[in-house]
Amino acid sequence: MELTPVAVIRHNVGPIDGLFLFDTLALIMLIQKNIPIAQYTTFKIGGPARYFCAVKNEDDLLEAVKFSKEKKLPILVIGGGSNLLVADSGFNGMVIRNEIKGKDWKEGNDGIVTVTAGAGEDWEGLVKESVDRGLYGLEGLSSIPGTVGASPVQNIGAYGVDVSHAIKSVRAFDTTALGFVSLSNEDCGFTYRDSMFKHEKGRYIISAVTYELSKNGKVSVEYKDLKDYFAKKGNSQPTLKDVREAVIEIRKNKLPDWTDWGTAGSFFKNPVVSAQKFTELKKLYPELPGFTEQDGHVKLSLGWILDKLCNAKGLTIGNVGTYEKQALVVVAKPGATAQEVLDFSNELMRRVKDKTGIEIEGEVEWAVA
Ligand SMILES: Cc1cc2nc3c(=O)[nH]c(=O)nc-3n(C[C@H](O)[C@H](O)[C@H](O)COP(=O)(O)OP(=O)(O)OC[C@H]3O[C@@H](n4cnc5c(N)ncnc54)[C@H](O)[C@@H]3O)c2cc1C
């Protein structure tokens, strides 16, 4: 395995006053060959990247794209690798790890505060800081692993809140037009666990995201788990901090610790069906939970379907299984392969189709080239 750099990119920038040594080092980017990607993902699975580099600023990003274009390499951008399943054969292209940091907080009128965060910032760190500053908007999304740059990609969400409600704009490098663009919330085409970035796969590399938060917001505790949590605590007026703590505690009891397990959280999206299909299913399974959306469609609880109808909670085949406390979460033992995870997920898909007629969709990104 070759671990030495194949390219050392030095940006064409002179030394900066008084910061010569530090900044000279910071302006160097290494491009390496045959780097195992598993170590950069929470599944801890996947073969090597043919080329790999970590970008710390937009200049690095440009150089990495230039290098890839010259060599005609497909590009895979990764953040925390917490929503990825990388093929056992690895990625026969360039893997760019986004490590662009920085947060810029700006106070506007009427208690509105915007924060622009570098794509490589830790998501949980941003949520914590926003709550510490008394800002409403992200508290329900506490404890989700990963980076800021990936938050718009699958429009991360939990406990009835999606990040799209807080995203003002996204700054990204457009690898087709070869320039940086600013995309509005509308441009991003957000829907449930989905956005334009998933459909124009590989076209945009996000370098920063701007969120709009509020000093005068209201906490949302409509979601059943949160309602139950506060009812049990006898807390009828939870504060911003209370909601963040509740979400962290609920998640801790429901989800595996990804530092111990190989996992990417929920492996599938909850299916959304027509009202008619929901009625048909309710006749067969009267206890099936469903949440009616604004457009009349009904979002089903796939965790319930896998558990109650497919007998899949805690199911294990070889090195791969569903988590004992939440059937929607696939977990892998050390040594598991991507193929085993795929085979297992196909088995779950088959069981759901047999019981409900529904073809479920993956939430985790399959990375192969
Ligand atoms: C235990 C656990 C719990 C989880 N819970 C939730 C949850 O409650 N809600 C939820 O929505 N998700 C959840 N996830 C999934 C995951 O944490 C999120 O999807 C997260 O946003 C992924 O961030 P990342 O930086 O790890 O992205 P990666 O896994 O590195 O990448 C995910 C996708 O985004 C793309 N991408 C990443 N960075 C960029 C960038 N800068 N520019 C362009 N594309 C980019 C990648 O190419 C890939 O397609 C969970 C995962 C785990 C392991």
Side-chain angles (χ1 to χ4, degrees):
M1 187 164 292
E2 189 183 333
L3 285 172
T4 48
V6 291
V8 178
I9 311 269
R10 279 169 211 275
H11 300 310
N12 191 19
V13 195
I16 296 160
D17 279 352
L19 292 170
F20 185 85
L21 185 62
F22 176 79
D23 280 290
T24 304
L25 287 175
L27 293 170
I28 291 174
M29 179 180 67
L30 302 182
I31 295 179
Q32 295 173 288
K33 218 174 169 188
N34 291 330
I35 296 297
I37 319 176
Q39 60 183 320
Y40 295 113
T41 73
T42 55
F43 250 128
K44 305 163 189 78
I45 286 176
R50 185 164 155 212
Y51 292 95
F52 176 90
C53 67
V55 299
K56 296 199 187 298
N57 51 52
E58 289 187 345
D59 288 338
D60 284 355
L61 183 53
L62 278 176
E63 294 296 347
V65 172
K66 207 168 115 197
F67 182 93
S68 310
K69 291 253 173 209
E70 275 165 15
K71 293 203 169 326
K72 297 191 170 43
L73 301 168
I75 295 174
L76 170 67
V77 185
I78 63 169
S82 62
N83 207 32
L84 280 179
L85 178 62
V86 178
D88 297 315
S89 54
F91 191 80
N92 188 14
M94 166 67 93
V95 174
I96 300 177
R97 187 160 197 258
N98 197 315
E99 295 182 2
I100 301 175
K101 301 274 199 246
K103 290 184 216 122
D104 183 21
W105 302 84
K106 281 204 174 84
E107 196 159 340
N109 297 329
D110 303 326
I112 299 293
V113 175
T114 58
V115 54
T116 300
E121 281 288 345
D122 175 46
W123 173 255
E124 167 60 6
L126 178 71
V127 176
K128 182 178 181 310
E129 190 172 345
S130 70
V131 171
D132 287 348
R133 287 171 176 254
L135 300 173
Y136 293 76
L138 303 182
E139 64 281 0
L141 304 173
S142 294
S143 214
I144 298 179
T147 55
V148 160
S151 67
V153 176
Q154 80 145 353
N155 183 15
I156 56 168
Y159 303 102
V161 187
D162 290 345
V163 75
S164 57
H165 80 277
I167 291 181
K168 191 171 177 219
S169 60
V170 171
R171 179 170 162 85
F173 186 75
D174 180 342
T175 59
T176 305
L178 295 180
F180 280 94
V181 289
S182 174
L183 301 160
S184 68
N185 181 297
E186 211 170 49
D187 294 336
C188 297
F190 292 122
T191 54
Y192 166 61
R193 295 300 163 275
D194 205 3
S195 72
M196 167 275 271
F197 302 107
K198 279 196 176 181
H199 298 276
E200 299 229 26
K201 230 180 170 147
R203 175 166 174 184
Y204 295 100
I205 303 179
I206 297 166
S207 60
V209 182
T210 300
Y211 305 88
E212 197 168 78
L213 310 174
S214 171
K215 280 181 163 178
N216 311 317
K218 267 202 328 214
V219 289
S220 162
V221 288
E222 290 313 301
Y223 202 84
K224 185 178 177 306
D225 288 9
L226 282 170
K227 262 190 191 162
D228 293 351
Y229 177 95
F230 287 117
K232 216 165 142 190
K233 294 250 168 194
N235 183 348
S236 59
Q237 286 192 312
T239 63
L240 188 57
K241 283 204 168 160
D242 292 341
V243 171
R244 173 167 157 77
E245 276 162 27
V247 169
I248 292 173
E249 200 176 320
I250 294 168
R251 291 181 68 97
K252 209 186 237 172
N253 292 325
K254 239 181 159 174
L255 293 167
D257 180 348
W258 58 268
T259 55
D260 296 336
W261 296 82
T263 185
S266 300
F267 199 84
F268 300 101
K269 293 182 192 178
N270 285 310
V272 179
V273 299
S274 66
Q276 190 191 338
K277 175 77 183 174
F278 183 56
T279 310
E280 284 165 23
L281 288 171
K282 268 292 220 195
K283 279 188 195 140
L284 287 173
Y285 312 114
E287 288 174 22
L288 173 68
F291 173 79
T292 304
E293 307 211 305
Q294 274 177 355
D295 65 359
H297 282 79
V298 183
K299 191 190 285 173
L300 306 180
S301 163
L302 185 56
W304 188 93
I305 293 172
L306 286 167
D307 177 12
K308 307 288 184 209
L309 307 183
C310 304
N311 203 19
K313 195 171 179 177
L315 173 75
T316 303
I317 302 176
N319 287 317
V320 183
T322 54
Y323 188 50
E324 58 190 4
K325 293 182 189 167
Q326 170 52 275
L328 196 49
V329 173
V330 170
V331 288
K333 292 182 191 160
T337 62
Q339 191 56 50
E340 282 179 288
V341 177
L342 283 186
D343 292 345
F344 184 79
S345 68
N346 285 336
E347 173 59 19
L348 296 181
M349 288 165 91
R350 190 190 61 73
R351 288 187 185 200
V352 174
K353 180 92 198 282
D354 280 358
K355 291 287 176 186
T356 65
I358 298 170
E359 290 189 4
I360 52 173
E361 263 181 73
E363 184 175 300
V364 172
E365 295 274 318
W366 170 238
V368 67

